[in-house]
Amino acid sequence: MNEIKLLEKILPDLKQDKNVFLGPGDDCAALDLGTGDLLLAAVDQLISSVHYDRSTTVPRVVGAKLLKRNLSDIAAMGGKASWALLALATNTADDKYLLEFYDGLREAAEKFDISLCGGDFSSLPKGETGEVASLTILGIVERDLMCCRSGAQVGDIVFVTGALGNSYESGRHLTFEPRLAEGRFLATGAYVNAMIDISDGLLIDAQRLAKASEAAVMLELGHIPVNADATLKQALGDGEDYELLFCVPADKAEILRKEWAFETALTSIGEIRANPPGEVTAPDGEDLSKRFKKGYEH
Amino acid sequence: MNEIKLLEKILPDLKQDKNVFLGPGDDCAALDLGTGDLLLAAVDQLISSVHYDRSTTVPRVVGAKLLKRNLSDIAAMGGKASWALLALATNTADDKYLLEFYDGLREAAEKFDISLCGGDFSSLPKGETGEVASLTILGIVERDLMCCRSGAQVGDIVFVTGALGNSYESGRHLTFEPRLAEGRFLATGAYVNAMIDISDGLLIDAQRLAKASEAAVMLELGHIPVNADATLKQALGDGEDYELLFCVPADKAEILRKEWAFETALTSIGEIRANPPGEVTAPDGEDLSKRFKKGYEH
């Protein structure tokens, strides 16, 4: 059973109290604190020999990435990140490696003003090398500003930040900047009907947004910002870009372009259509998930 | 470098924002939400072949324990637990095992009214079996009711819930009940100057409370409630009891005994003294950590 099937089996059975404003299935859960604001919470793992090659990756950037990929989840909700908790399992006797990992995490925390306020440290079973790290990120968002995957409306313009593709091979999956400031700007300006971060690839994450919004994401392939060292296929299929994908009402798109003061590129790549709900299509309606699954390279 | 040395090296460098009311070093961090209440947060791991034997432990109780040991941390702060996030890394193709693990976690969550509101699921490196699970627990406590390890006052009576020792061999480390109701009763009744849960053993955890409170914990060995299948040495040294150890002003101790309506045993086992600060002693002042480290069995 893969993750998706497992979650399909588990999630419907999980009872959520009324103090859960938004449960599993978005970039963060949103918890009702009984005040005007919501608490955002998400957890993500980084595992050596699964998510990075320990022999070629310096521990400092691994520690930083662990935090940054979680910050990207807060960014996608339009929230402010504040606190993090770390769980680390390792047998390494290499103190230098461990301390560098922590230094990377600590430096990233300081840069983004995150308090690393709790943690747990354990051994792995005897003979197992490497490390299993998980980080829980906590943040705050105003109830009326929160951006979810659902909420895209027919006619919305679909935007993406930055450029996409070849993140893993190029090392950008380690050096990327989470789009916290951009996400917060989009939320506080009330520009956005729906938002998601691109962690598993544009096509997959666009489809998640489409499914959550019960609408179609139409992409104009020629408009997609592709990294100089990547192909269009990589821009569509590769994960780990950590850019934001979001939907803006047509009458706000021009204002957004004018007000966008970030160095980060802002590109419109399509629009929201009614049909087919839950799918990602080309302008002529062709199912792009199907086309690129078949290995067809545009 | 072991966990304690590593943390000694790392923790002083971690900057905590002013919105962190209580940082690393207690059972939970307490985060200032800008309202009257504090958010409690803690993370703990359960790892097969480290914390339990996968061949003899049914996955249902492992899932339940993962939540319960975190609930014990909320109990020790006097808080109300509300939300949990799970990170699970495993290669198991044994769907039945995984689903039973989740069932155990889900059933415990329902029993204690916890919403499992987020998670992450990953593979382990190829060839590695078993699972690495971490759970983050979130709860709420009123600022003026929170119970910390610090705060014990000279003359306080030291109490413990339940009975101690031989938790691992007996299987009680899996079947224990977190003392949430008891902890909450103690907090709301303002009975407690300091509290901690006994996860690493009475002597170790009493010393943590002593150090945080800059006072001595005097224990009367003859008063310690020892499980029927355990020795006094086990009651002092074994971990995984998940009972509460707490300090009550002498003038409240009698009221507490009267008002205590739980089936859980309540036993006074000593008192707080001024000297030697940070130590656990017998009535004659003997250093108990030293005596029992030497393997002397009373």
Side-chain angles (χ1 to χ4, degrees):
Chain A
M1 192 161 22
N2 64 22
E3 177 177 6
I4 292 165
K5 285 201 181 142
L6 186 71
L7 291 177
E8 276 173 3
K9 214 163 160 76
I10 294 163
L11 285 182
D13 285 341
L14 291 178
K15 290 194 185 133
Q16 304 296 329
D17 191 271
K18 63 180 191 305
N19 61 20
V20 177
F21 188 82
L22 183 68
D26 214 303
D27 288 298
C28 294
L31 309 175
D32 192 339
L33 298 163
T35 65
D37 294 345
L38 299 171
L39 180 74
L40 297 172
V43 62
D44 243 330
Q45 299 176 91
L46 266 191
I47 301 173
S48 58
S49 306
V50 176
H51 297 110
Y52 58 95
D53 181 344
R54 211 170 184 273
S55 65
T56 57
T57 314
V58 293
R60 193 177 290 269
V61 299
V62 176
K65 179 180 176 178
L66 178 62
L67 180 64
K68 291 193 294 178
R69 72 195 302 230
N70 277 281
L71 292 179
S72 183
D73 286 324
I74 299 281
M77 309 298 290
K80 298 168 284 183
S82 289
W83 306 289
L85 296 98
L86 172 72
L88 180 68
T90 178
N91 284 334
T92 187
D94 183 349
D95 295 349
K96 195 163 162 282
Y97 188 96
L98 265 187
L99 290 174
E100 275 191 38
F101 172 91
Y102 273 105
D103 276 345
L105 179 57
R106 189 178 47 74
E107 286 160 8
E110 285 180 21
K111 177 174 173 179
F112 293 101
D113 209 16
I114 308 300
S115 299
L116 193 57
C117 62
D120 186 51
F121 185 83
S122 174
S123 306
L124 284 173
K126 270 181 201 167
E128 290 189 10
T129 57
E131 55 270 333
V132 177
S134 78
L135 190 131
T136 299
I137 190 81
L138 301 172
I140 298 283
V141 71
E142 301 81 353
R143 188 179 303 236
D144 56 339
L145 297 184
M146 184 168 69
C147 308
C148 302
R149 296 178 181 183
S150 57
Q153 301 296 320
V154 173
D156 282 356
I157 310 296
V158 178
F159 283 90
V160 69
T161 59
L164 306 176
N166 199 30
S167 176
Y168 199 85
E169 291 296 321
S170 67
R172 282 189 295 273
H173 77 109
L174 296 165
T175 59
F176 73 95
E177 289 288 300
R179 302 304 187 194
L180 273 171
E182 292 85 345
R184 191 68 189 147
F185 166 82
L186 291 166
T188 53
Y191 288 109
V192 163
N193 279 337
M195 184 147 66
I196 189 171
D197 77 324
I198 303 177
S199 54
D200 291 333
L202 174 58
L203 280 182
I204 287 176
D205 289 312
Q207 187 161 26
R208 285 178 177 145
L209 187 147
K211 283 188 193 233
S213 294
E214 296 174 13
V217 173
M218 183 280 283
L219 296 181
E220 302 213 54
L221 296 183
H223 294 187
I224 292 169
V226 182
N227 277 309
D229 56 7
T231 63
L232 174 63
K233 191 179 171 189
Q234 288 177 307
L236 288 163
D238 287 1
E240 308 258 347
D241 288 312
Y242 301 107
E243 297 293 349
L244 296 176
L245 179 74
F246 53 96
C247 307
V248 177
D251 61 352
K252 285 189 180 169
E254 212 39 59
I255 312 169
L256 172 62
R257 282 197 187 89
K258 249 186 252 170
E259 299 292 328
W260 187 262
F262 299 98
E263 283 182 30
T264 310
L266 173 74
T267 314
S268 60
I269 59 172
E271 68 175 52
I272 299 297
R273 290 183 173 175
N275 290 302
E279 300 300 339
V280 182
T281 70
D284 65 2
E286 183 193 356
D287 184 331
L288 289 176
S289 305
K290 264 192 199 151
R291 190 207 297 184
F292 285 90
K293 216 179 238 169
K294 280 181 193 153
Y296 174 86
E297 183 142 1
H298 195 78
Chain B
M1 193 158 25
N2 64 19
E3 176 177 8
I4 293 165
K5 285 200 179 144
L6 186 72
L7 291 178
E8 275 174 3
K9 213 162 161 75
I10 295 161
L11 285 181
D13 285 341
L14 290 179
K15 290 193 185 134
Q16 303 295 329
D17 192 88
K18 62 180 190 309
N19 61 21
V20 178
F21 188 81
L22 183 68
D26 214 304
D27 288 298
C28 294
L31 310 175
D32 191 340
L33 298 163
T35 65
D37 293 344
L38 298 170
L39 180 74
L40 298 172
V43 62
D44 244 330
Q45 299 175 90
L46 266 192
I47 301 174
S48 58
S49 306
V50 176
H51 297 109
Y52 57 96
D53 181 344
R54 209 170 185 273
S55 66
T56 57
T57 315
V58 294
R60 192 177 290 267
V61 298
V62 177
K65 180 180 175 179
L66 178 62
L67 180 65
K68 290 192 296 178
R69 72 194 303 230
N70 277 281
L71 293 178
S72 183
D73 286 324
I74 298 281
M77 309 298 290
K80 298 168 283 183
S82 289
W83 307 288
L85 296 98
L86 171 73
L88 180 67
T90 179
N91 285 335
T92 188
D94 183 348
D95 294 350
K96 193 161 163 284
Y97 188 96
L98 265 187
L99 290 174
E100 274 191 38
F101 172 90
Y102 273 104
D103 276 344
L105 179 57
R106 189 178 47 73
E107 285 160 8
E110 284 179 23
K111 176 174 175 181
F112 293 100
D113 208 14
I114 309 299
S115 299
L116 193 58
C117 62
D120 185 52
F121 185 83
S122 175
S123 305
L124 284 173
K126 270 181 203 168
E128 290 189 10
T129 55
E131 54 270 334
V132 176
S134 78
L135 189 130
T136 299
I137 190 80
L138 301 172
I140 298 284
V141 71
E142 301 81 353
R143 189 179 303 236
D144 56 339
L145 297 184
M146 184 168 69
C147 308
C148 303
R149 296 178 182 185
S150 58
Q153 301 295 319
V154 173
D156 282 357
I157 309 296
V158 178
F159 283 91
V160 69
T161 59
L164 306 177
N166 199 29
S167 177
Y168 199 84
E169 290 296 319
S170 67
R172 282 190 296 274
H173 76 109
L174 297 164
T175 58
F176 73 94
E177 288 289 300
R179 302 304 188 195
L180 273 171
E182 292 85 347
R184 189 70 189 147
F185 167 82
L186 291 166
T188 54
Y191 288 109
V192 164
N193 279 336
M195 184 149 63
I196 189 171
D197 76 325
I198 303 177
S199 53
D200 291 333
L202 174 58
L203 280 182
I204 287 176
D205 289 311
Q207 188 162 26
R208 286 178 177 144
L209 187 146
K211 284 189 193 229
S213 294
E214 297 174 12
V217 173
M218 183 279 283
L219 297 181
E220 303 212 54
L221 295 182
H223 294 187
I224 292 169
V226 181
N227 277 310
D229 56 6
T231 64
L232 174 63
K233 193 180 171 188
Q234 288 178 307
L236 288 163
D238 286 2
E240 309 256 346
D241 288 312
Y242 301 106
E243 296 293 350
L244 296 176
L245 179 74
F246 51 97
C247 306
V248 177
D251 61 353
K252 285 190 180 167
E254 212 38 60
I255 312 168
L256 172 61
R257 281 198 187 90
K258 248 186 255 168
E259 299 292 327
W260 187 262
F262 300 98
E263 282 183 32
T264 311
L266 172 74
T267 314
S268 60
I269 58 172
E271 68 174 52
I272 299 297
R273 291 182 173 176
N275 291 301
E279 300 300 338
V280 183
T281 71
D284 65 2
E286 184 194 356
D287 184 331
L288 289 176
S289 305
K290 265 190 199 153
R291 189 206 300 183
F292 285 91
K293 216 179 238 168
K294 282 181 193 153
Y296 174 87
E297 182 138 4
H298 195 78

